[in-house]
Amino acid sequence: MSEKSKCCPSYQILDQYYNNLKYLTTYNVVISVNDTTIGQCLESDVYAFDTTYPRHLVLADESLENSITNPYVVYCAQALDEIRLDKYRDHSHYFKQMRDIDLSPSAYTSDTNTAANGWKCFGEYDGWNEIITKGFSGHYDGNEKTISNLKCITSNSVECPSLFGAIKDGSVKNLTVEEVEISGVYNTGAIAGCVATATIENCHSSGNITCSNYRAGGLIGHAFDRDGSIIIKDCSSNANVTITYSNEKEFTYAGGLIGDMQNGSILSSNVTNCTIKGQVYAGGLAGSIYRGTVADCYTSDIIINAHNSIGGLIGCIYASSTITNCHCDEVTLTGTNEFTPAGDGVGGIVGEAENTTIDGCETSGTISGYSGIGGIAGKCNTGSIKNATSTCEVSSVFYYAGGIAGLANCDIINCCSNGSITAGSDYAGGITGQLASGKVAQNSSSGGNIKGAGESDESSCTSYSDLSGCGKSRG
């Protein structure tokens, strides 16, 4: 390679990266490769160029087409920012991160990214019609690297504040996003605010995520797919998640990993050491799941404060869903009294479950609220709870406190609770506060203390009087 410079003849660059220098706007030095001028820079800044890696997106091998084995390589914030360009973002391209990247606003600004609001969102989401426009449709391999200090703040209701904004028919894997500061209106998360037909695998987050309305999650705000092609696998988060909306007539969804998921799976993932605050539908893993599968997941040392439908794992789950082999350890779940009815449906695994099978789950910690409070499920309507164990301390201010389920309209089979159960008024039971329908079978047992403030009324209880407070509390 021949190289010329009027001021710095010893300045070295790699010719395969010559199109990838980030040029400055004032010129003193002319840099040329093979007798061709390729750019200019201030003489004092010549050595500021780190020429060991490209400043923009390039293929690992420029002689070949983009593929999973020949990705665009991402070395820095500038290259990461270019993914938003139409020629990269929307064509199922493959990308691979090659080193840790700092996205501190003080370290990186551009036409689209400012120090005040940080990272600019990719894409937009029309929630009324469930349409993503200008979303990321590529495949990003983080290569076990880290993106740190992501700041993304927006008041635009169609944007999805996060690293990738909106993802459609894409994937992200092997990436850690740490110390995030995310704030938006509708759908917020560290990796994506909204995803449709996507796979998120081996991704991790930390920091603080805030949403003024609807959905917020440690990794993803909202995920939807009509064919069940959402897969979240081997992921984790300890990001704090907060929804600030205060209208009791609206639903919100706050989850340690994902705010709301429709038709998908969460597998072998966990959330630890964080605080989650919301209104309705708040869960350690997910705020709400419709027609989903959750398996081999856990939460640990989390604190959740919300008004209704609060679960150590899932706030609310329904429509032929399953939860298998999951556990929630040392969780603190509190149903608050800001609205009426309030503190309703709080459970160690799930706040409310409908047409759902819960199998092989365990819980420990402290669970409290106003009504429908259970060690595994606050309320269970159809479906079943099987092979579950709870050592949670369960208490309700008013009604329906149970070691496994607060209010049960489902089968409870081969379950055991060993925590204390307290109802401030009526309906306290070692397995369920009230068994409205269904059955308790196959040696379900309770070893905890059961206490209620109301008068005992054994006449209306079933033969499982030690397990279900089917009349008034067992005082």
Side-chain angles (χ1 to χ4, degrees), residues 192-248:
C194 184
V195 302
T197 315
T199 298
I200 311 297
E201 184 174 1
N202 191 30
C203 290
H204 316 280
S205 69
S206 66
N208 295 287
I209 295 168
T210 302
C211 182
S212 61
N213 200 341
Y214 289 129
R215 306 176 181 101
L219 279 184
I220 300 167
H222 177 43
F224 67 94
D225 182 85
R226 290 179 175 83
D227 299 320
S229 298
I230 299 292
I231 299 175
I232 302 170
K233 183 179 180 182
D234 297 324
C235 293
S236 70
S237 177
N238 61 7
N240 298 313
V241 177
T242 303
I243 293 182
T244 60
Y245 198 47
S246 59
N247 185 343
E248 75 263 33

Side-chain angles (χ1 to χ4, degrees), residues 25-239:
T25 56
T26 306
Y27 310 115
N28 280 337
V29 179
V30 176
I31 303 172
S32 60
V33 173
N34 299 331
D35 296 327
T36 300
T37 298
I38 63 167
Q40 295 174 310
C41 62
L42 286 169
E43 180 178 5
S44 60
D45 288 334
V46 168
Y47 293 98
F49 286 120
D50 182 348
T51 58
T52 61
Y53 65 89
R55 289 290 191 182
H56 298 265
L57 286 174
V58 293
L59 289 167
D61 186 339
E62 294 278 17
S63 67
L64 300 175
E65 295 292 324
N66 177 249
S67 68
I68 191 171
T69 57
N70 188 43
Y72 288 104
V73 290
V74 180
Y75 280 89
C76 60
Q78 290 92 331
L80 185 66
D81 185 42
E82 287 184 352
I83 293 176
R84 76 178 67 250
L85 300 177
D86 289 345
K87 64 179 180 179
Y88 298 118
R89 171 189 52 75
D90 195 28
H91 296 282
S92 299
H93 288 315
Y94 292 88
F95 305 87
K96 188 172 185 178
Q97 187 170 322
M98 304 306 293
R99 51 187 271 169
D100 294 341
I101 296 174
D102 184 357
L103 284 183
S104 298
S106 59
Y108 173 61
T109 60
S110 71
D111 291 340
T112 53
N113 299 285
T114 66
N117 295 321
W119 190 249
K120 175 69 175 176
C121 303
F122 289 28
E124 297 179 348
Y125 172 60
D126 175 358
W128 290 107
N129 298 301
E130 291 195 334
I131 296 173
I132 288 177
T133 57
K134 298 182 180 179
F136 175 68
S137 296
H139 306 280
Y140 192 92
D141 182 356
N143 194 27
E144 307 295 345
K145 299 297 188 292
T146 296
I147 293 175
S148 59
N149 301 307
L150 168 65
K151 177 182 179 182
C152 186
I153 298 174
T154 179
S155 58
N156 188 330
S157 62
V158 299
E159 291 183 338
C160 303
S162 56
L163 179 63
F164 287 98
I167 299 175
K168 181 180 180 181
D169 301 318
S171 66
V172 182
K173 65 179 181 180
N174 306 325
L175 179 63
T176 296
V177 184
E178 63 182 17
E179 300 305 320
V180 303
E181 180 187 351
I182 307 288
S183 180
V185 180
Y186 283 138
N187 303 293
T188 61
I191 295 292
C194 184
V195 302
T197 315
T199 298
I200 311 297
E201 184 174 1
N202 191 30
C203 290
H204 316 280
S205 69
S206 66
N208 295 287
I209 295 168
T210 302
C211 182
S212 61
N213 200 341
Y214 289 129
R215 306 176 181 101
L219 279 184
I220 300 167
H222 177 43
F224 67 94
D225 182 85
R226 290 179 175 83
D227 299 320
S229 298
I230 299 292
I231 299 175
I232 302 170
K233 183 179 180 182
D234 297 324
C235 293
S236 70
S237 177
N238 61 7

